[in-house]
Amino acid sequence: MNDRKRTVWLALLVVLSLILGGCGGAPQSAARDSGGPGGRSGSASSPSPAPAAEVPAGTPWAGSVSFLDTAENPGDEAAAPTADRKIIQNAEVELSVRDVDEALTSITDALTRSGGYVQENRVTGTREQGRRVAMTLRVPAGNFGPLLDLLRELGEVQSLRQWTNDVTEEYLDLEARIETGEAHLAQLNRLYERSGTISEMIELEREIARVTAELESLKGRYNFLANQVAFSTVSVFMYEPGVPAPARSPQSLGERMRDSFLFSWNATIHFAEGLLVALVGLIPGLLFLAVLVGIVGGVIWLIVRVRRGRGGPPGGGSRGEPAARPLYSPPGADTAGDRPGGGAGAGQAEG
């Protein structure tokens, strides 16, 4: 009996499932065939899908229609991430202006109004020779274009270079790493509070110090990128033509003689200064040559002295022996003591 009741219930469940499946499939097939509330005739007249506004709010597949509409228009989804991209704007401008002072005043006022600032300013030259200015400006990213327009109006632009750096990927990566590092640091602090042994506390302190240092480095890079994105950098190079010298009246003879003398005197002074500088510059070379000549002269003197010592005393023979008499002597050169028989006794013998 129980088996019989169970079979009946199973049969009823199968029939109900078939009925419900057929009823649910009919509207869906009708909607696919018609493409809208107009049936097949509607698909023939308008092949495009029906807008989401025509689907009743209580229809079971209303959510799928809105999903399809979103999928068919991916530009709406891509527009949001594009607006959040992190772009660094840079520019270099070189221009010629009539008056540097007026240009500097205009640039400073514009920066003050926009919330920017001058990072570097260097002025060289004189009004007579023409001044040159090198500036580095930081301006909010929203006022980057208006500042370039102002610079174009100040004078004649000689060159203009603009470029951008997209740092969105690095920016988002830093955000994720900072968030992960802070969570890790919080977890380490909780573990440090619960730890009991000294070795665990020492190990946790080392890890906390490492994570803290890494977080500080990441935050520093993150803040740098945020500043570069928020403030654009503009390098400005300006120069003005030199002011011509005023015309001078013709000079008298005395003025010309004075100018000639002063010119000659100044030229002589410059020549003497140049000669003195050249002589001072030659001192190291002269000292080197003197040392070199002294060394070479000493070596030569030693060589000559050694050779004389090896040759012996002049006149032949060795030291300590009488020198040999010459083979020939002129008449009258011999003294009385040198004659044979020797001295005065021989003279008396002859007498």
Side-chain angles (χ1 to χ4, degrees):
M1 190 69 178
N2 292 332
D3 295 338
R4 200 169 178 182
K5 288 181 178 180
R6 187 179 300 170
T7 304
V8 172
W9 281 110
L10 289 174
L12 290 175
L13 289 174
V14 171
V15 171
L16 288 174
S17 62
L18 291 175
I19 293 173
L20 292 176
C23 293
Q28 294 178 0
S29 62
R32 286 194 299 267
D33 295 339
S34 61
R40 292 186 181 272
S41 60
S43 63
S45 59
S46 58
S48 60
E54 297 181 1
V55 180
T59 307
W61 58 87
S64 63
V65 173
S66 62
F67 173 77
L68 289 175
D69 291 342
T70 305
E72 291 176 358
N73 299 285
D76 298 338
E77 294 182 357
T82 303
D84 294 336
R85 300 197 70 83
K86 305 301 179 182
I87 306 296
I88 299 176
Q89 303 178 96
N90 303 277
E92 286 184 359
V93 184
E94 181 180 356
L95 66 157
S96 173
V97 297
R98 291 179 298 178
D99 191 348
V100 165
D101 295 331
E102 294 180 0
L104 289 176
T105 302
S106 301
I107 293 173
T108 304
D109 293 342
L111 289 177
T112 303
R113 291 193 301 268
S114 64
Y117 60 94
V118 178
Q119 182 174 346
E120 183 182 4
N121 184 18
R122 185 173 67 253
V123 181
T124 58
T126 60
R127 290 185 60 88
E128 290 75 15
Q129 299 175 353
R131 291 173 292 180
R132 292 180 175 272
V133 180
M135 304 180 67
T136 302
L137 313 178
R138 301 299 307 281
V139 61
N143 295 320
F144 179 72
L147 179 62
L148 294 181
D149 295 338
L150 172 65
L151 294 175
R152 293 188 184 96
E153 296 174 357
L154 293 178
E156 183 180 357
V157 177
Q158 304 295 327
S159 65
L160 172 61
R161 175 173 173 252
Q162 295 179 246
W163 72 96
T164 58
N165 298 327
D166 190 348
V167 295
T168 306
E169 184 177 354
E170 183 180 2
Y171 195 89
L172 296 178
D173 179 66
L174 288 173
E175 282 186 342
R177 293 175 65 184
I178 291 173
E179 183 178 357
T180 303
E182 289 178 346
H184 187 198
L185 184 61
Q187 184 179 6
L188 289 174
N189 289 327
R190 287 193 297 268
L191 291 175
Y192 183 80
E193 294 174 357
R194 298 176 185 175
S195 60
T197 63
I198 297 178
S199 60
E200 290 179 352
M201 295 179 67
I202 294 176
E203 188 67 24
L204 286 172
E205 286 178 355
R206 292 176 180 175
E207 185 66 14
I208 289 173
R210 185 190 67 81
V211 174
T212 302
E214 184 177 355
L215 269 176
E216 292 299 327
S217 176
L218 293 176
K219 288 180 179 179
R221 179 62 181 174
Y222 180 84
N223 293 332
F224 173 77
L225 290 180
N227 180 265
Q228 292 294 315
V229 171
F231 285 84
S232 302
T233 304
V234 180
S235 300
V236 182
F237 303 95
M238 295 187 299
Y239 62 90
E240 63 180 359
V243 178
R248 301 178 60 183
S249 58
Q251 294 179 327
S252 62
L253 178 61
E255 292 176 346
R256 285 184 293 171
M257 292 174 62
R258 180 199 60 191
D259 293 344
S260 177
F261 174 79
L262 292 177
F263 176 78
S264 177
W265 174 261
N266 292 331
T268 304
I269 294 297
H270 289 319
F271 174 77
E273 291 177 352
L275 182 60
L276 180 61
V277 171
L279 291 176
V280 172
L282 289 175
I283 288 176
L286 295 176
L287 291 176
F288 175 75
L289 289 177
V291 172
L292 184 61
V293 169
I295 293 174
V296 173
V299 172
I300 294 174
W301 180 77
L302 288 175
I303 292 173
V304 171
R305 184 175 182 182
V306 169
R307 288 184 177 179
R308 285 180 178 178
R310 290 179 179 178
S318 60
R319 296 182 179 179
E321 297 180 357
R325 293 178 61 85
L327 299 177
Y328 170 77
S329 60
D334 294 337
T335 61
D338 293 338
R339 295 176 181 176
Q348 294 175 0
E350 291 179 355

Short mmCIF file of all heavy atoms in Angstrom, two decimals, residues 95 97-114 116-118 121 123 127 131 133 135 137 147 150-151 153-155 236 238 240:
data_model
loop_
_atom_site.label_atom_id
_atom_site.label_comp_id
_atom_site.label_asym_id
_atom_site.label_seq_id
_atom_site.Cartn_x
_atom_site.Cartn_y
_atom_site.Cartn_z
N LEU A 95 60.37 81.24 -24.81
CA LEU A 95 59.74 82.37 -25.49
C LEU A 95 60.56 83.63 -25.31
O LEU A 95 61.35 83.75 -24.36
CB LEU A 95 58.32 82.60 -24.97
CG LEU A 95 58.14 83.04 -23.52
CD1 LEU A 95 56.81 83.75 -23.36
CD2 LEU A 95 58.17 81.85 -22.57
N VAL A 97 60.37 87.69 -24.83
CA VAL A 97 59.46 88.71 -24.31
C VAL A 97 60.13 90.07 -24.44
O VAL A 97 61.35 90.20 -24.54
CB VAL A 97 59.10 88.43 -22.83
CG1 VAL A 97 58.36 87.11 -22.71
CG2 VAL A 97 60.35 88.40 -21.95
N ARG A 98 59.29 91.11 -24.41
CA ARG A 98 59.82 92.46 -24.50
C ARG A 98 60.38 92.93 -23.17
O ARG A 98 61.39 93.63 -23.13
CB ARG A 98 58.72 93.42 -24.98
CG ARG A 98 58.31 93.21 -26.43
CD ARG A 98 57.22 94.18 -26.81
NE ARG A 98 56.01 93.99 -26.01
CZ ARG A 98 54.91 94.72 -26.10
NH1 ARG A 98 54.88 95.74 -26.96
NH2 ARG A 98 53.86 94.46 -25.36
N ASP A 99 59.73 92.57 -22.08
CA ASP A 99 60.17 93.00 -20.76
C ASP A 99 60.06 91.82 -19.80
O ASP A 99 58.97 91.28 -19.59
CB ASP A 99 59.32 94.17 -20.27
CG ASP A 99 59.90 94.83 -19.03
OD1 ASP A 99 60.84 94.24 -18.43
OD2 ASP A 99 59.44 95.92 -18.65
N VAL A 100 61.18 91.44 -19.23
CA VAL A 100 61.19 90.30 -18.31
C VAL A 100 60.40 90.61 -17.04
O VAL A 100 59.68 89.75 -16.51
CB VAL A 100 62.64 89.92 -17.98
CG1 VAL A 100 62.71 89.01 -16.76
CG2 VAL A 100 63.27 89.21 -19.17
N ASP A 101 60.51 91.82 -16.54
CA ASP A 101 59.82 92.17 -15.30
C ASP A 101 58.31 92.04 -15.44
O ASP A 101 57.63 91.49 -14.55
CB ASP A 101 60.19 93.60 -14.88
CG ASP A 101 61.66 93.73 -14.53
OD1 ASP A 101 62.24 92.72 -14.08
OD2 ASP A 101 62.23 94.81 -14.73
N GLU A 102 57.76 92.53 -16.54
CA GLU A 102 56.32 92.42 -16.75
C GLU A 102 55.90 90.95 -16.88
O GLU A 102 54.86 90.55 -16.35
CB GLU A 102 55.92 93.20 -18.00
CG GLU A 102 56.10 94.71 -17.88
CD GLU A 102 55.68 95.42 -19.14
OE1 GLU A 102 55.26 94.73 -20.11
OE2 GLU A 102 55.77 96.67 -19.18
N ALA A 103 56.68 90.16 -17.58
CA ALA A 103 56.35 88.75 -17.73
C ALA A 103 56.38 88.02 -16.39
O ALA A 103 55.48 87.21 -16.08
CB ALA A 103 57.31 88.09 -18.72
N LEU A 104 57.36 88.31 -15.57
CA LEU A 104 57.45 87.68 -14.25
C LEU A 104 56.25 88.06 -13.38
O LEU A 104 55.70 87.22 -12.66
CB LEU A 104 58.75 88.08 -13.56
CG LEU A 104 60.04 87.48 -14.13
CD1 LEU A 104 61.25 88.05 -13.41
CD2 LEU A 104 60.02 85.95 -13.99
N THR A 105 55.85 89.32 -13.45
CA THR A 105 54.69 89.76 -12.67
C THR A 105 53.42 89.04 -13.11
O THR A 105 52.62 88.59 -12.28
CB THR A 105 54.52 91.27 -12.80
OG1 THR A 105 55.72 91.93 -12.36
CG2 THR A 105 53.36 91.76 -11.96
N SER A 106 53.23 88.91 -14.42
CA SER A 106 52.03 88.23 -14.93
C SER A 106 52.02 86.76 -14.51
O SER A 106 50.98 86.23 -14.09
CB SER A 106 51.97 88.34 -16.45
OG SER A 106 51.93 89.70 -16.86
N ILE A 107 53.15 86.09 -14.60
CA ILE A 107 53.21 84.68 -14.23
C ILE A 107 52.96 84.50 -12.74
O ILE A 107 52.22 83.60 -12.31
CB ILE A 107 54.57 84.09 -14.63
CG1 ILE A 107 54.70 84.05 -16.16
CG2 ILE A 107 54.75 82.69 -14.06
CD1 ILE A 107 56.06 83.64 -16.65
N THR A 108 53.55 85.36 -11.91
CA THR A 108 53.38 85.24 -10.46
C THR A 108 51.93 85.47 -10.07
O THR A 108 51.38 84.74 -9.22
CB THR A 108 54.29 86.25 -9.75
OG1 THR A 108 55.65 86.03 -10.15
CG2 THR A 108 54.19 86.08 -8.24
N ASP A 109 51.29 86.46 -10.66
CA ASP A 109 49.88 86.72 -10.34
C ASP A 109 49.00 85.54 -10.75
O ASP A 109 48.08 85.15 -10.01
CB ASP A 109 49.42 87.99 -11.05
CG ASP A 109 50.11 89.23 -10.50
OD1 ASP A 109 50.68 89.15 -9.38
OD2 ASP A 109 50.12 90.26 -11.20
N ALA A 110 49.27 84.97 -11.93
CA ALA A 110 48.47 83.83 -12.38
C ALA A 110 48.64 82.63 -11.45
O ALA A 110 47.68 81.93 -11.13
CB ALA A 110 48.85 83.46 -13.82
N LEU A 111 49.86 82.38 -11.01
CA LEU A 111 50.08 81.27 -10.09
C LEU A 111 49.39 81.50 -8.74
O LEU A 111 48.86 80.57 -8.14
CB LEU A 111 51.58 81.07 -9.88
CG LEU A 111 52.37 80.49 -11.06
CD1 LEU A 111 53.85 80.42 -10.73
CD2 LEU A 111 51.86 79.11 -11.42
N THR A 112 49.43 82.74 -8.27
CA THR A 112 48.77 83.03 -7.00
C THR A 112 47.27 82.80 -7.08
O THR A 112 46.65 82.25 -6.15
CB THR A 112 49.07 84.49 -6.59
OG1 THR A 112 50.49 84.67 -6.52
CG2 THR A 112 48.44 84.81 -5.25
N ARG A 113 46.67 83.21 -8.18
CA ARG A 113 45.23 83.00 -8.34
C ARG A 113 44.86 81.52 -8.46
O ARG A 113 43.81 81.10 -7.98
CB ARG A 113 44.73 83.77 -9.57
CG ARG A 113 44.76 85.28 -9.41
CD ARG A 113 43.97 85.95 -10.53
NE ARG A 113 44.50 85.59 -11.84
CZ ARG A 113 45.43 86.30 -12.49
NH1 ARG A 113 45.93 87.40 -11.94
NH2 ARG A 113 45.85 85.93 -13.68
N SER A 114 45.70 80.74 -9.10
CA SER A 114 45.38 79.33 -9.34
C SER A 114 45.80 78.41 -8.20
O SER A 114 45.45 77.23 -8.20
CB SER A 114 46.04 78.87 -10.64
OG SER A 114 47.46 78.93 -10.53
N GLY A 116 49.09 77.80 -7.47
CA GLY A 116 50.39 77.21 -7.77
C GLY A 116 51.50 77.98 -7.09
O GLY A 116 51.28 78.89 -6.28
N TYR A 117 52.73 77.63 -7.44
CA TYR A 117 53.88 78.29 -6.83
C TYR A 117 55.07 78.15 -7.76
O TYR A 117 55.09 77.31 -8.66
CB TYR A 117 54.20 77.70 -5.46
CG TYR A 117 54.52 76.23 -5.46
CD1 TYR A 117 55.83 75.78 -5.54
CD2 TYR A 117 53.50 75.28 -5.37
CE1 TYR A 117 56.13 74.43 -5.54
CE2 TYR A 117 53.79 73.92 -5.38
CZ TYR A 117 55.10 73.51 -5.46
OH TYR A 117 55.39 72.16 -5.47
N VAL A 118 56.08 79.01 -7.52
CA VAL A 118 57.32 78.99 -8.28
C VAL A 118 58.32 78.12 -7.53
O VAL A 118 58.73 78.44 -6.41
CB VAL A 118 57.89 80.41 -8.48
CG1 VAL A 118 59.21 80.36 -9.25
CG2 VAL A 118 56.88 81.29 -9.21
N ASN A 121 63.59 79.92 -9.70
CA ASN A 121 63.63 81.11 -10.55
C ASN A 121 65.07 81.61 -10.59
O ASN A 121 65.67 81.89 -9.55
CB ASN A 121 62.69 82.19 -10.01
CG ASN A 121 62.63 83.40 -10.92
OD1 ASN A 121 63.01 83.32 -12.09
ND2 ASN A 121 62.17 84.53 -10.41
N VAL A 123 67.57 84.42 -12.76
CA VAL A 123 67.66 85.51 -13.72
C VAL A 123 69.13 85.85 -13.92
O VAL A 123 69.87 86.04 -12.94
CB VAL A 123 66.90 86.76 -13.22
CG1 VAL A 123 66.98 87.88 -14.26
CG2 VAL A 123 65.44 86.41 -12.92
N ARG A 127 70.00 94.55 -18.34
CA ARG A 127 69.05 95.13 -19.29
C ARG A 127 69.74 95.56 -20.57
O ARG A 127 69.16 95.50 -21.66
CB ARG A 127 68.34 96.33 -18.66
CG ARG A 127 67.37 95.94 -17.55
CD ARG A 127 66.62 97.18 -17.06
NE ARG A 127 65.85 97.79 -18.13
CZ ARG A 127 64.60 97.46 -18.45
NH1 ARG A 127 63.99 96.49 -17.77
NH2 ARG A 127 63.97 98.07 -19.42
N ARG A 131 68.37 90.11 -20.59
CA ARG A 131 68.29 89.19 -19.46
C ARG A 131 67.66 87.87 -19.88
O ARG A 131 66.86 87.81 -20.80
CB ARG A 131 67.45 89.82 -18.34
CG ARG A 131 68.13 90.99 -17.66
CD ARG A 131 67.20 91.66 -16.68
NE ARG A 131 66.09 92.34 -17.35
CZ ARG A 131 65.13 93.01 -16.71
NH1 ARG A 131 65.15 93.07 -15.39
NH2 ARG A 131 64.17 93.59 -17.39
N VAL A 133 65.83 84.27 -18.17
CA VAL A 133 65.13 83.75 -16.99
C VAL A 133 64.86 82.27 -17.20
O VAL A 133 64.40 81.86 -18.27
CB VAL A 133 63.80 84.50 -16.75
CG1 VAL A 133 63.09 83.95 -15.53
CG2 VAL A 133 64.05 85.99 -16.60
N MET A 135 62.75 79.34 -15.16
CA MET A 135 61.78 79.14 -14.08
C MET A 135 61.23 77.72 -14.13
O MET A 135 61.11 77.13 -15.20
CB MET A 135 60.62 80.13 -14.19
CG MET A 135 61.00 81.59 -14.23
SD MET A 135 59.54 82.65 -14.37
CE MET A 135 58.77 82.37 -12.77
N LEU A 137 57.77 76.03 -12.70
CA LEU A 137 56.47 76.35 -12.12
C LEU A 137 55.72 75.08 -11.77
O LEU A 137 55.80 74.09 -12.50
CB LEU A 137 55.64 77.20 -13.09
CG LEU A 137 56.34 78.40 -13.75
CD1 LEU A 137 55.40 79.09 -14.71
CD2 LEU A 137 56.84 79.36 -12.69
N LEU A 147 47.50 78.08 -18.00
CA LEU A 147 48.84 78.64 -17.81
C LEU A 147 49.62 78.66 -19.12
O LEU A 147 50.30 79.63 -19.45
CB LEU A 147 49.60 77.85 -16.76
CG LEU A 147 51.03 78.32 -16.48
CD1 LEU A 147 51.04 79.75 -15.96
CD2 LEU A 147 51.73 77.39 -15.51
N LEU A 150 48.43 81.53 -21.14
CA LEU A 150 48.99 82.79 -20.65
C LEU A 150 50.42 82.98 -21.14
O LEU A 150 50.81 84.08 -21.56
CB LEU A 150 48.94 82.82 -19.13
CG LEU A 150 49.66 83.99 -18.45
CD1 LEU A 150 48.96 85.31 -18.79
CD2 LEU A 150 49.71 83.81 -16.95
N LEU A 151 51.21 81.92 -21.12
CA LEU A 151 52.60 82.03 -21.58
C LEU A 151 52.66 82.38 -23.06
O LEU A 151 53.55 83.12 -23.50
CB LEU A 151 53.34 80.73 -21.30
CG LEU A 151 53.56 80.38 -19.82
CD1 LEU A 151 54.20 79.01 -19.69
CD2 LEU A 151 54.40 81.43 -19.13
N GLU A 153 50.65 84.24 -24.60
CA GLU A 153 50.28 85.65 -24.76
C GLU A 153 51.38 86.60 -24.30
O GLU A 153 51.36 87.78 -24.65
CB GLU A 153 49.00 85.94 -23.96
CG GLU A 153 47.78 85.18 -24.46
CD GLU A 153 46.57 85.39 -23.56
OE1 GLU A 153 46.74 86.09 -22.53
OE2 GLU A 153 45.50 84.86 -23.88
N LEU A 154 52.34 86.10 -23.51
CA LEU A 154 53.37 86.99 -22.98
C LEU A 154 54.40 87.39 -24.03
O LEU A 154 55.04 88.44 -23.90
CB LEU A 154 54.09 86.32 -21.79
CG LEU A 154 53.25 86.11 -20.54
CD1 LEU A 154 54.06 85.38 -19.48
CD2 LEU A 154 52.72 87.43 -20.01
N GLY A 155 54.63 86.58 -25.02
CA GLY A 155 55.64 86.89 -26.03
C GLY A 155 55.59 85.90 -27.17
O GLY A 155 54.60 85.19 -27.36
N VAL A 236 59.94 77.11 -17.82
CA VAL A 236 59.84 78.29 -18.67
C VAL A 236 61.23 78.89 -18.84
O VAL A 236 61.96 79.11 -17.86
CB VAL A 236 58.89 79.33 -18.06
CG1 VAL A 236 58.76 80.54 -18.97
CG2 VAL A 236 57.52 78.71 -17.81
N MET A 238 62.80 82.26 -20.63
CA MET A 238 62.47 83.54 -21.27
C MET A 238 63.75 84.35 -21.45
O MET A 238 64.68 84.25 -20.67
CB MET A 238 61.50 84.34 -20.39
CG MET A 238 60.14 83.71 -20.20
SD MET A 238 59.00 84.83 -19.32
CE MET A 238 59.86 85.04 -17.76
N GLU A 240 65.01 88.43 -23.20
CA GLU A 240 64.60 89.69 -23.80
C GLU A 240 65.77 90.27 -24.59
O GLU A 240 66.94 90.04 -24.24
CB GLU A 240 64.17 90.69 -22.72
CG GLU A 240 65.28 91.08 -21.75
CD GLU A 240 64.84 92.05 -20.69
OE1 GLU A 240 63.67 92.44 -20.72
OE2 GLU A 240 65.67 92.42 -19.83
#
